Amino acid sequence: MQKRVSIPLAGATAFVLAATLGACASGESSSPDQIVVQTNWTASQAQNKPLFDAFKAFTDETGIEVKVLESGDNLNQVYETSLLAGEEADVLLVGLLEKQLDWAINGAVVPVNDYIEEWGIADRLPDDALVDWTDAEDNVRAFPYSGFTWPWWYNTDLLAKAGVDTVPTTTDELVDAAKKLRAAGIAPVVLGGIDWSGQKIFLQFLEMFLSTEEAKQVYAEGDTCENPGAMKGIELLVELRDAGVFVDGVEGYTADQAQAAYMDGQAAIAPLGSWAYPAASEELAAATVLGGLPVADGAPFDKPLAYRGSTSAGWWISPNGEKKIDAVEKLITYMYGDDVLKGILDEGGVIPVADFGGDTSGVTSPLLAQSLTELPEAVDFPVMPDIYVPADVSNPMYRATSIAFTPGTDAATICKTVDDIYAAAK
């Protein structure tokens, strides 16, 4: 089951540097009664406390020590460099994005196809989650663990102040609401027009007139200028931009700035992910209705669009981890226990991918509860782009995102910018 490691690096110098860094990345190999877990979940964040409590409880129950390496945003580099030295962590808890997409193909991690069945976890996972975590060679990359929702937030107090009685569900209603909000001195839709968050909303527009399979193809290959549906989506964004739907200067906003503007009551509408639920004040949460990008006439969707995903975090097994697979099995199956899943949901606000019984009675965040109960009935969930957009395209596309939200830029310029990025990556 183990494959030869073939991680691409930038030449011989990079290889030497990587090997050197790897030698000091994780120290000596862990013992049979210790599991090294590398993750970008940090103990200092309150929402992660249930996870670290579960590690301690696991050690108390089994006698197997869990050593946690908190790598933050540098996890990819730290893991890959230590892998080259044969000193990588046994297990990783990290999401599915960019470089991780090819880890199983490259041999950086062990495919879990057999384990996910043998350990009784596959039956607890939604089919679409297993599809998301399966690569082009039919490797199940890791055990899907936590997901997210990414709705549009509507401050009904600010909408009412502007004379908007209901949350917009069509693009015509959104344009009308934006006009009324501006007339009342209230900024309409705010989003991170210059970074990853705005990129996802740009792609949400791009997908508005595409079928599921068409969206996957466009995300994977580009050629947006040649796709009539993709062009209609870009033209819709331009139309709404020019109608004043977005806040002034949105092309320069970061995700953090956009979130702050909504949380501070400076804007009435914002697409924000479930990671932002804990940041809402009690008053704002009570005024917020979660919905989606209002649907356009002629779109194949019946309801507004919101993202939902299963790729926030998964349990990955490294070549070193496979050498102590019995201990790894104990850890991973323990982390899928109902009590652990309920803990990370109720106390941490983390959405489990696995079936946890549907009990939301212990959820303390009203927006999280709303996202689990009311949101699925109010929106359609289109394709989440992250697992289809090539890694070499994703970050450069931020420029196209900013251009798309910049007044005066037409649809032809926007699609050409996107297609040029795809062409450069081929």
Side-chain angles (χ1 to χ4, degrees), residues 346-360:
D346 293 349
E347 301 171 42
V350 175
I351 301 174
V353 174
D355 178 19
F356 58 90
D359 179 12
T360 60

Side-chain angles (χ1 to χ4, degrees), residues 35 58 61-64 119 324-337:
I35 296 176
F58 170 78
E61 181 175 310
T62 66
I64 301 172
W119 299 351
K324 53 177 75 172
I325 198 65
D326 290 343
V328 168
E329 177 184 359
K330 290 178 182 178
L331 174 65
I332 291 179
T333 54
Y334 183 89
M335 299 308 291
Y336 277 92

